[in-house]
Amino acid sequence: MKGQSVAEVDEPILVIENLSISFFTRARKIPAVMDFSVTVRPGEAVGLVGESGCGKSTVALGVMRDLGTTGRIVGGRVLFKGRDLAAMSDAELRQVRGREIAMIYQEPMASLNPAMKIGRQLMEVPMIHDGVSAAEARERAREVVADVKLPDPDRILDAYPHQLSGGQQQRIVIAMALMARPSLLILDEPTTALDVTVEAAVVDLVRGLREKYGTSMLFISHNLGLVMDVCDRLCVMYSGEAVETGAIADVFDRMRHPYTQALFRSIPLPGADKTSRPLVAIPGNFPLPHERPRGCNFGPRCGYFAEGRCDGADVPMGAVPGDDRHFTRCLRSGEIDWARPPAPPVVAPRLPPGDVVLRMEDLRKYYEVAGGMFGGGLAKVVKANETLSFEAREGETLAIVGESGCGKSTLAKVLMGLETATAGKILLYNEDIQDTPIARRNTDTVSSVQMVFQNPFDTLNPSMTVGRQILRALEVFGEGGSEEARQARMLELLDLVKLPRAFAERMPRQLSGGQKQRVGIARAFAGGARIVVADEPVSALDVSVQAAVTELLMDIQRTNRTTLLFISHDLSIVRYLSDRVMVMYLGHVVEIGTTDQVFSPPYHPYTEALLSAVPIADTRVTKQRIVLEGDIPSAMNPPPGCPFQTRCRWKGRVAGGLCEREVPPVVTLAPGHQIKCHLPADVLAGMEPVIQVAAE
């Protein structure tokens, strides 16, 4: 369907017309969505994008009439196949929900009953909505499980949810939504919790099922690349309003709202570079619902703001001349030079990396787990890390990438001293620290190696002020000879992470997600950290906040010559900020090299698949589609030979079944570039680039 025009004579499946939704608390009425309009035609997929809190999920819940006891539609209409959902009785709504409109939520386990087998849960849908027999429902369930490309459907139907991986659970939720063959499918961030390779497979699946069933879709995401892969049209939301709507190509290539432009400038598209073409973060903060400005909601953060005009009155949506159903909520859209690049930022020189500060040699980390249901039987060994060897230099960023379960976080725990390695060496400034747990490390060692965690909400004490939490870290690290000296250093650290000094008196609940992450970074640098392990530090943040936090880390690194180990599954941000990249799979380092080496052929076959899975929000980009079959094997029972051989599309190019028998050797492709692979040199030399960007 993508790229095809939908006939204008077709009756729209969904029309949302001037929708306004508010939530009512004891203190006040909170307007969450205002004057929102969008149309979804038969077979069309429309994406809803925007930052957290912009109202995307509230729109979806408004369509489902599931706003809870405090939410209420206070204006506008929601028409489904011409019928007003607000005018339907509860009985009529029950007939529509699940049967004609289905919704898929972000967390699959929230939609599955943990005490009921998968088959029974799927069978309930046609038995309740269509009144079919159990035998027919079972057959229909088996068919739809095959449709979502799960192996051995009979085994899956007899399994409980906890026996499936996260990607398999999400496929079952999609299967459940499709059981009644709905006309409209609403997907609310359906891939957020999934690995990038599983995400790619789910996106391919959604696209294929849409073509097979002709289902219309409302696809909610903060990821513009995913929306481009799935949708025909998109609607950009900001602070409860639609600010731009149109066809994918029109909005991506001829955007006509400053917020849309700012979103694209804050994500690492091909060509972005941390020294020559850095990301541009959106200034200011997202307004709270009861503190929205007069006139244009985006006005206080907009570089094109005209006082007395943009803040004069509510701004209506207006048509963009020459495009198909392209609308923008901007009074100045016809006056702005949209092709003009942003003001040139201050470009920092690329500093050469210094001496080696961290070296790992043949590191192994095994866990023993008891065998049998109740701990009896022979113990089994989980091989979390296998013979890891690498080094990191002063002032460089080494990215560590791979799917969940590949050993990234175990490596971080061993380095931090939260776990001790089974074998091998960790040399920090030539001192072997691998056998020394954190409780027995001296203060200098602990303060030298610090960590920034993925979720800023869980790392701060909710009952302590920001200043007190940083002061506590300074006390632990023995910084400052007096309370006055520590107080001064705490304020300097707030300056370092670009937070106002007044924030020292604030509680964590008074901060946004990006501000909390900045406090976590300030605390990590309280002891003068020389090596920082950043474990998915921006994945929980909105894209505009990601840009600001990423630039902050780069600024601190340039100033302090910090070594940054950046753990991530997002290869777009990895390409932007890393100097070298280490790719891990099932405890092994399968590829390591400079960023340019790893992102260019020849690749390890696993790296090739990871690159193919990266969603890129750029219409100039073409990619090979390489969808990995099957799940990552268990570290408790790894496959023989090459750890990747069960999913490798190149295995047939290696003679004699070598991949199934022997662990590959480490092969040097170029100075500093190594892969762990049996592929012959001529096959590697013939690899094509996965990502190609058309010339402008």
Side-chain angles (χ1 to χ4, degrees):
M1 298 294 302
K2 191 171 169 89
Q4 297 178 5
S5 62
V6 180
E8 291 293 324
V9 294
D10 288 338
E11 179 76 20
I13 292 292
L14 179 71
V15 176
I16 302 176
E17 197 175 83
N18 307 117
L19 180 68
S20 295
I21 298 173
S22 293
F23 290 88
F24 293 83
T25 68
R26 290 182 179 179
R28 60 172 65 92
K29 168 187 172 183
I30 301 173
V33 174
M34 303 162 297
D35 189 32
F36 179 86
S37 299
V38 77
T39 298
V40 183
R41 298 185 180 279
E44 190 173 61
V46 176
L48 280 187
V49 301
E51 296 171 277
S52 300
C54 72
K56 304 186 300 291
S57 295
T58 303
V59 168
L61 294 173
V63 172
M64 296 297 288
R65 289 271 307 275
D66 186 21
L67 292 168
T69 55
T70 59
R72 197 181 309 157
I73 294 175
V74 294
R77 299 189 302 167
V78 180
L79 303 177
F80 176 71
K81 293 184 176 179
R83 300 171 63 199
D84 190 346
L85 290 172
M88 289 185 183
S89 66
D90 289 344
E92 289 174 316
L93 268 177
R94 280 194 295 271
Q95 285 296 311
V96 170
R97 283 193 299 219
R99 183 177 188 178
E100 295 195 75
I101 305 176
M103 186 162 175
I104 296 170
Y105 296 89
Q106 181 173 338
E107 175 50 60
M109 275 306 287
S111 304
L112 296 173
N113 185 334
M116 189 184 289
K117 288 184 176 180
I118 295 296
R120 188 67 196 169
Q121 296 189 56
L122 291 172
M123 289 163 61
E124 278 190 342
V125 179
M127 290 172 72
I128 291 172
H129 288 294
D130 298 335
V132 304
S133 67
E136 185 179 342
R138 171 87 181 187
E139 187 54 40
R140 198 184 289 186
R142 194 181 185 286
E143 178 188 343
V144 81
V145 167
D147 278 346
V148 296
K149 295 184 170 57
L150 283 170
D152 194 355
D154 290 319
R155 180 186 66 81
I156 295 288
L157 292 177
D158 288 330
Y160 287 95
H162 72 270
Q163 295 173 301
L164 306 182
S165 69
Q168 289 173 330
Q169 289 172 2
Q170 190 62 288
R171 287 171 185 238
I172 289 299
V173 171
I174 292 171
M176 192 178 297
L178 292 170
M179 283 295 292
R181 311 281 165 83
S183 301
L184 176 67
L185 187 59
I186 301 173
L187 302 99
D188 190 359
E189 301 273 12
T191 63
T192 298
L194 305 179
D195 278 312
V196 66
T197 51
V198 182
E199 177 181 80
V202 169
V203 165
D204 272 11
L205 169 70
V206 166
R207 226 171 17 215
L209 292 172
R210 177 183 157 211
E211 290 175 2
K212 177 176 179 177
Y213 293 110
T215 308
S216 301
M217 292 184 182
L218 194 61
F219 189 90
I220 297 170
S221 180
H222 66 278
N223 189 321
L224 288 160
L226 271 185
V227 168
M228 193 184 87
D229 280 349
V230 174
C231 299
D232 307 295
R233 305 180 62 77
L234 84 158
C235 173
V236 181
M237 292 190 69
Y238 181 80
S239 189
E241 293 180 326
V243 295
E244 185 164 10
T245 64
I248 290 287
D250 290 341
V251 177
F252 275 52
D253 297 338
R254 293 181 295 281
M255 56 196 73
R256 289 297 180 267
H257 194 280
Y259 176 61
T260 311
Q261 184 186 62
L263 272 184
F264 275 86
R265 286 177 174 174
S266 65
I267 58 178
L269 297 174
D273 181 88
K274 65 181 178 181
T275 53
S276 60
R277 290 182 62 185
L279 302 180
V280 181
I282 303 176
N285 294 311
F286 198 79
L288 294 173
H290 57 282
E291 296 178 351
R292 291 186 177 108
R294 178 175 169 80
C296 176
N297 280 341
F298 188 61
R301 307 174 73 186
C302 180
Y304 307 108
F305 178 77
E307 189 173 351
R309 184 176 173 195
C310 296
D311 55 357
D314 290 344
V315 181
M317 291 289 272
V320 176
D323 288 346
D324 173 37
R325 290 187 285 148
H326 187 182
F327 298 90
T328 179
R329 196 181 294 271
C330 178
L331 294 174
R332 303 196 60 203
S333 64
E335 308 164 15
I336 296 169
D337 180 3
W338 296 99
R340 182 170 60 87
V346 178
V347 176
R350 186 182 291 273
L351 300 176
D355 297 331
V356 173
V357 296
L358 175 69
R359 179 180 284 114
M360 289 200 177
E361 297 178 355
D362 296 327
L363 188 83
R364 290 180 172 88
K365 176 59 182 176
Y366 296 167
Y367 296 95
E368 278 198 3
V369 294
M373 185 178 296
F374 300 105
L378 296 174
K380 296 183 179 180
V381 174
V382 177
K383 297 181 178 181
N385 288 149
E386 276 278 27
T387 59
L388 296 185
S389 296
F390 69 90
E391 59 186 33
R393 297 178 177 274
E394 180 187 63
E396 83 166 347
T397 301
L398 173 64
I400 304 171
V401 301
E403 293 169 286
S404 301
C406 73
K408 306 188 301 290
S409 295
T410 300
L411 168 62
K413 289 176 185 175
V414 170
L415 176 58
M416 295 298 298
L418 302 173
E419 305 269 6
T420 53
T422 306
K425 289 183 178 180
I426 303 175
L427 299 171
L428 179 66
Y429 294 96
N430 291 320
E431 178 189 350
D432 192 350
I433 61 170
Q434 82 90 1
D435 284 327
T436 311
I438 194 166
R440 291 197 285 114
R441 290 184 179 180
N442 61 47
T443 303
D444 282 347
T445 302
V446 173
S447 62
S448 291
V449 185
Q450 284 293 297
M451 195 159 181
V452 177
F453 296 90
Q454 176 174 354
N455 195 339
F457 307 95
D458 295 337
T459 58
L460 300 179
N461 187 330
S463 60
M464 270 190 194
T465 64
V466 165
R468 183 64 204 142
Q469 301 200 46
I470 299 173
L471 285 170
R472 176 66 183 139
L474 291 168
E475 291 167 3
V476 169
F477 295 142
E479 294 288 316
S482 65
E483 185 64 27
E484 290 76 15
R486 282 191 287 273
Q487 186 76 20
R489 178 61 181 151
M490 179 268 290
L491 295 174
E492 288 173 2
L493 285 165
L494 288 177
D495 294 341
L496 181 72
V497 297
K498 297 180 173 60
L499 284 177
R501 291 189 170 195
F503 274 41
E505 302 303 319
R506 292 197 180 186
M507 304 298 286
R509 67 176 181 274
Q510 296 173 290
L511 307 185
S512 68
Q515 290 166 344
K516 287 177 184 174
Q517 191 62 288
R518 287 168 185 257
V519 176
I521 293 169
R523 202 170 51 179
F525 281 91
R530 289 174 288 180
I531 297 173
V532 171
V533 182
D535 189 1
E536 302 273 11
V538 296
S539 63
L541 306 177
D542 281 312
V543 290
S544 59
V545 184
Q546 280 184 16
V549 172
T550 300
E551 289 309 303
L552 170 66
L553 284 170
M554 294 297 98
D555 285 345
I556 294 174
Q557 182 181 55
R558 294 180 191 110
T559 303
N560 295 5
R561 299 288 291 160
T562 312
T563 301
L564 186 63
L565 300 186
F566 191 87
I567 298 173
S568 181
H569 69 277
D570 184 344
L571 289 176
S572 295
I573 202 80
V574 163
R575 183 170 197 166
Y576 171 73
L577 62 79
S578 64
D579 301 300
R580 291 194 301 132
V581 180
M582 184 168 84
V583 183
M584 292 186 66
Y585 185 81
L586 207 61
H588 293 256
V589 175
V590 297
E591 183 162 5
I592 188 167
T594 66
T595 305
D596 287 341
Q597 288 171 335
V598 172
F599 277 77
S600 304
Y603 317 97
H604 186 280
Y606 179 57
T607 308
E608 180 189 49
L610 284 180
L611 292 174
S612 167
V614 179
I616 301 174
D618 192 331
T619 57
R620 300 170 301 151
V621 169
T622 55
K623 291 187 303 179
Q624 292 186 50
R625 290 302 285 176
I626 304 165
V627 177
L628 290 179
E629 298 296 331
D631 295 308
I632 188 168
S634 167
M636 193 182 298
N637 186 28
C642 173
F644 188 59
Q645 55 100 351
T646 57
R647 305 168 79 194
C648 181
R649 74 186 188 115
W650 293 92
K651 186 169 66 172
R653 304 292 293 273
V654 179
L658 192 62
C659 297
E660 290 93 335
R661 294 197 317 272
E662 294 181 18
V663 175
V666 174
V667 179
T668 299
L669 300 176
H673 187 198
Q674 296 178 328
I675 65 170
K676 207 172 193 177
C677 188
H678 285 303
L679 280 176
D682 61 319
V683 174
L684 289 168
M687 280 187 169
E688 296 287 331
V690 172
I691 299 170
Q692 292 185 302
V693 183
E696 293 187 21

